[in-house]
Amino acid sequence: MPTYILNIHDDKECQAPGADKAIVRLTYALRNTISQMAGMVRALCIFSAADLNETPQFMIEDMDAFPLADGTQPLLPYSGKMKDTRLVVTALDFFWEGSYANGYRWKTDCFALSNLNIVEKHPYYKYTVYNALELARIFKYGDYAKINDPLPDVPEAIALIGNALKNDNIGQTTGRVALELLRNANGEDVVFCP
């Protein structure tokens, strides 16, 4: 799962120390939510869509510590209170915004949707990430898996499909296609094979 560190920008009038960075883990579920919201924005021809979302972990720079090898300051958890944290998605990008307990507003850097690299459907097959997760559910719960059994998360599904491939419990093409989709959904660099 890729993790990104986004800068936080406060209201110019805000004098109280606020958070400096927001750490965001782009899980499959979050990427799917962002993709659906972006699709809704395009379909409805609106500027943006927003949803309450507590994904970011807020941090401050430790100015008392020596800089790291890459020149950045070490980060410490932000102890202040954040309110109304919302994910905002436009047709081109997404970001988080909200307010501090004192009412001043904050906003993260924007992140381009193109950086998500979401491949819902395999480029060479009619197989989707959801199909791969359904397949992993069968390996998790057995041949009698029910439709209401929860789908495994992407890392667990990768392990399940990988084990099935290793033990020849699945066709090589189907297993490879499912694994390529799941690894891509997990943020790994994937070469899709025909």
Side-chain angles (χ1 to χ4, degrees):
M1 254 171 286
T3 301
Y4 297 95
I5 300 176
L6 305 175
N7 293 318
I8 293 180
H9 310 282
D10 303 320
D11 280 344
K12 292 194 178 2
E13 301 83 26
C14 182
Q15 300 299 317
D20 297 313
K21 308 282 183 183
I23 298 178
V24 176
R25 291 180 66 217
L26 281 176
T27 62
Y28 172 74
L30 178 59
R31 287 159 39 134
N32 194 36
T33 298
I34 293 168
S35 178
Q36 288 175 354
M37 289 173 71
M40 182 179 71
V41 166
R42 287 190 291 271
L44 297 175
C45 297
I46 56 178
F47 178 72
S48 67
D51 190 26
L52 289 176
N53 183 288
E54 301 287 336
T55 297
Q57 178 185 2
F58 299 102
M59 308 295 279
I60 57 170
E61 292 180 338
D62 183 2
M63 300 313 276
D64 295 331
F66 289 107
L68 301 173
D70 63 0
T72 61
Q73 288 297 124
L75 298 176
L76 297 171
Y78 175 66
S79 60
K81 186 83 172 145
M82 300 297 227
K83 294 172 31 182
D84 304 324
T85 302
R86 299 183 315 153
L87 167 64
V88 180
V89 180
T90 71
L92 299 175
D93 57 20
F94 64 95
F95 58 91
W96 278 263
E97 67 179 9
S99 62
Y100 295 110
N102 61 12
Y104 287 108
R105 307 283 306 157
W106 58 266
K107 176 184 165 187
T108 67
D109 287 337
C110 293
F111 196 79
L113 288 171
S114 59
N115 292 334
L116 288 182
N117 192 23
I118 296 174
V119 176
E120 289 294 330
K121 185 166 136 315
H122 196 283
Y124 302 109
Y125 299 92
K126 292 181 179 178
Y127 212 74
T128 66
V129 172
Y130 186 76
N131 296 139
L133 291 171
E134 285 182 318
L135 184 62
R137 174 171 48 197
I138 292 169
F139 289 113
K140 181 174 183 175
Y141 297 106
D143 292 334
Y144 300 104
K146 298 180 193 77
I147 196 76
N148 58 351
D149 286 334
L151 290 172
D153 63 10
V154 173
E156 183 182 14
I158 289 171
L160 290 164
I161 300 292
N163 285 337
L165 271 168
K166 225 183 292 181
N167 298 326
D168 286 330
N169 293 336
I170 187 175
Q172 289 297 308
T173 301
T174 302
R176 180 186 49 75
V177 167
L179 211 49
E180 287 172 2
L181 282 168
L182 290 167
R183 286 187 171 146
N184 182 76
N186 200 38
E188 300 174 33
D189 288 330
V190 175
V191 176
F192 290 99
C193 298

